[in-house]
Amino acid sequence: MDQSPSLSRTTKRLAADAAGIAEAAAILRAGGLVALPTETVYGLAADATAGTAVAGIYAAKERPSFNPLISHLPDLAGARRQGLFDANALALAQAFWPGPLTLVVPASPGCTVSDLARAGLATVALRVPAHPVAHAVLEAAGRPIAAPSANRSGRISATSAAHVLADLDGRIDAVLDAGPTEVGVESTIVACLDGAPRLLRPGGIPRAALEGVIGRPLVQAGEAGQAPIAPGMLTSHYAPAARVRLDADAPREGEAWLGFGPETHSHPHALNLSPTGDLREAASHLFGYLRRLDETGRKTIAVARIPEQGLGEAINDRLRRAAAPR
Ligand code: TXA
Ligand code: MG
């Protein structure tokens, strides 16, 4: 990969202890780039209030700059300084923060998140993650921290420090290694802009849990009459090098196999997301197993059918993006 001189740097491996957390926060305050663990995936973090720092994220990821980023805060009070919460947003935040939920709300008059991180929108995406290491870094940084998933744009999201380094070694200042992430798929994104909360991206909090709190069905983004407001959601994402064939009954000759639930056949290039059919276990393995099967060099990864319930909605969303034409 061709790298401009400003992009090339030595990537420090930081331990997730007090010293590592302090150094990560110092790098962020100085405008640098740090890959941080959250309970969903690793995020590529920068000071959200500094346009030049945020520009570094787009450069390191080679991400199209019109795609807005999530800003991370240590608590609801901090988030409410950045965005305007209506009753639905407040109920969802109180029920699920800290946790794998992102809320898109109108930016507050005092919002300090840079235009670049918001891609010029009048709204802002806010998340309070539950991971203790992320929380500690956010507290120490003392400002909103923008962080998309820590992978090259369009590639599989990173759920371990090794995945981060595979995509971004030499392009970021540090990675804070706290082991593999627990949830394994990104946060659920809900827009609360007009009294009718909209599901922009399925993720770590299942739809039914959200609907239980707001007491009504979530409007689906992209439904008739709804303008798409998360442009990044429409393109091919999470793509391995191999083609992906979904809802397969069994692997064909030469294919790698990503199974789910009990299986009778055996196969040389196979992994099973959860032999017992546990969707939480499957979500936590999804991106790592896609990477491992991609490394076998097979041209196609065939994937078993995953039920569309609970976390299955997020898993199937990511798999459909991985399988999308590109
Ligand atoms: O779990 C996660 O959410 C991870 C961790 C690191 O927090 N982050 C993550 O960020 O997945 P990213 O950048 O890969 O995905 C953020 C999505 C994008 O698709 C973007 O279009 C949408 O959030 N988004 C951000 N701000 C938005 C806004 N103001 N309106 C609508 N969509 C927005
Ligand atoms: Mg991503």
Side-chain angles (χ1 to χ4, degrees), residues 53 83 119 140 152 175 210 227 250 255 269 307:
R152 293 277 187 109
V175 55
L210 301 161
E255 288 182 337
H269 301 290

Side-chain angles (χ1 to χ4, degrees), residues 206-232:
R207 171 198 293 270
L210 301 161
E211 292 178 340
V213 167
I214 58 173
R216 58 188 285 181
L218 283 165
V219 178
Q220 185 73 44
E223 266 179 19
Q226 302 286 340
I229 62 170

Side-chain angles (χ1 to χ4, degrees), residues 61 63 148-149 151 155 157 186 201 237-238:
K61 281 186 63 104
R63 178 176 207 165
S149 50
N151 49 277
R155 305 287 303 175
S157 297
E186 295 85 345
R201 177 178 76 182
H237 263 74
Y238 310 99

